[in-house]
């Protein structure tokens, strides 16, 4: 079993829909990251969380440390949100390193 | 300010050939990382470095070597390429500290025939 599991693996939605991507992990962590990988391949960091909730524009990330679960929400989705969204955790044992989920491929149709 | 720059962007090798991938960062970051990304799998750490002159093995180090002779550069070497090393390689860097964000290069797509 992977230390970081994302669901769904693939998600297709219509423009304007509310999107939720889930991330569950099995180890104690110091931080959780959400990253975005565009079709061109580049990877950028969206959020770093250690508790609670963060919001940036139409993106919201939440984390529940007790349940070892995080969600990434996109409100009023747009075709330009189409990308692979990746969850990654810093475990308490390997603080210099990230462990990555497999990614969720999101496609927003106009 | 270029951030993290990887060269080359694409490369095709024959089995047994050697090559070096270069990663350069201009953010004065202490930590640097090399990952590989394969279809259906998450990014996997090959090697990493927590400072100039130091390197450490990651999750999938076999078949690769690295060097960090200068703080801004992290080199990934393949001494004898194998088809199993066909992948997309990403370099990343971050400041010191357990919670700091990693900044990624654009990736190198390598095919080994």
């Amino acid at each position: 079993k992977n230390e970081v599991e994302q669901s769904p693996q693939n998600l297709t939605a219509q423009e304007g829909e509310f999107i939720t991507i889930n991330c569950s992990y099995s180890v104690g962590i110091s931080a959780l990251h959400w990253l975005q990988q565009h079709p061109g391949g580049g990877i950028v960091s969206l959020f770093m969380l250690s508790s609670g909730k963060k919001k940036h524009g139409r993106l919201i990330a939440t984390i529940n440390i007790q349940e070892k679960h995080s969600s990434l929400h996109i409100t009023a989705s747009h075709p330009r949100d189409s990308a692979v969204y990746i969850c990654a955790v810093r475990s308490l044992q390997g603080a210099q390193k990230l462990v990555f989920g497999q990614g969720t491929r999101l496609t927003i149709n106009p | 300010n270029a951030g993290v720059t990887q060269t080359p962007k694409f490369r095709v090798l024959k089995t047994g050939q050697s090559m070096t991938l270069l990663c350069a960062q201009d953010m004065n970051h202490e930590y640097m990382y090399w990952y590989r990304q394969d279809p259906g799998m998450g990014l996997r750490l090959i090697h990493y470095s927590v400072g100039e002159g130091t390197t450490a093995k990651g999750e999938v180090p076999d078949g690769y070597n690295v060097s960090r002779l200068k703080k801004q550069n992290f080199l990934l070497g393949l001494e004898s390429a194998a088809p199993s090393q066909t992948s997309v390689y990403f370099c990343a860097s971050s400041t010191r500290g357990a919670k700091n964000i990693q900044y990624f290069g654009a990736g190198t797509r390598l095919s080994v025939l």
Side-chain angles (χ1 to χ4, degrees):
Chain A
K1 188 180 189 314
N2 293 333
E3 290 182 341
V4 181
E5 296 275 357
Q6 289 185 233
S7 63
Q9 289 189 331
N10 294 282
L11 178 57
T12 300
Q14 291 299 120
E15 183 174 355
E17 288 188 33
F18 181 81
I19 303 299
T20 296
I21 299 170
N22 297 300
C23 176
S24 296
Y25 53 91
S26 58
V27 296
I29 68 169
S30 60
L32 182 143
H33 296 251
W34 282 102
L35 306 101
Q36 181 190 56
Q37 184 173 24
H38 272 287
I43 300 172
V44 296
S45 180
L46 297 174
F47 296 102
M48 191 277 292
L49 295 160
S50 54
S51 65
K53 175 179 171 179
K54 286 191 176 180
K55 184 175 188 290
H56 181 71
R58 295 179 294 103
L59 273 62
I60 303 165
T62 64
I63 188 168
N64 185 318
I65 296 294
Q66 287 73 30
E67 294 186 2
K68 292 186 166 61
H69 181 269
S70 176
S71 292
L72 177 68
H73 305 286
I74 305 175
T75 61
S77 59
H78 189 276
R80 66 176 174 267
D81 297 325
S82 298
V84 175
Y85 293 84
I86 302 169
C87 173
V89 302
R90 272 189 202 280
S91 73
L92 293 172
Q93 285 72 33
Q96 296 93 355
K97 298 175 282 185
L98 290 175
V99 178
F100 293 81
Q102 293 176 321
T104 294
R105 183 174 300 277
L106 174 64
T107 303
I108 304 296
N109 293 320
Chain B
N1 188 341
V4 179
T5 303
Q6 289 183 233
T7 52
K9 289 185 168 45
F10 303 94
R11 186 73 186 268
V12 178
L13 290 178
K14 294 182 179 178
T15 297
Q17 287 185 318
S18 63
M19 77 163 294
T20 301
L21 281 65
L22 171 63
C23 178
Q25 52 94 5
D26 61 4
M27 297 174 282
N28 201 34
H29 285 170
E30 291 289 337
Y31 294 178
M32 296 187 76
Y33 311 83
W34 274 109
Y35 297 97
R36 60 178 289 172
Q37 185 178 42
D38 300 295
M41 304 184 76
L43 287 156
R44 293 183 292 169
L45 183 64
I46 304 171
H47 286 280
Y48 65 102
S49 168
V50 299
E52 182 178 321
T54 70
T55 63
K57 293 181 179 179
E59 183 183 351
V60 287
D62 293 343
Y64 305 95
N65 56 74
V66 289
S67 63
R68 183 104 182 263
L69 298 179
K70 293 182 179 180
K71 185 177 183 180
Q72 63 267 34
N73 295 338
F74 195 29
L75 278 62
L76 178 71
L78 285 73
E79 289 187 350
S80 179
S84 60
Q85 294 177 304
T86 294
S87 188
V88 181
Y89 292 86
F90 287 94
C91 175
S93 70
S94 71
T95 56
R96 189 192 305 270
K99 295 186 179 181
N100 287 323
I101 292 169
Q102 292 187 12
Y103 294 83
F104 286 81
T108 296
R109 188 172 294 275
L110 175 66
S111 294
V112 183
L113 306 178

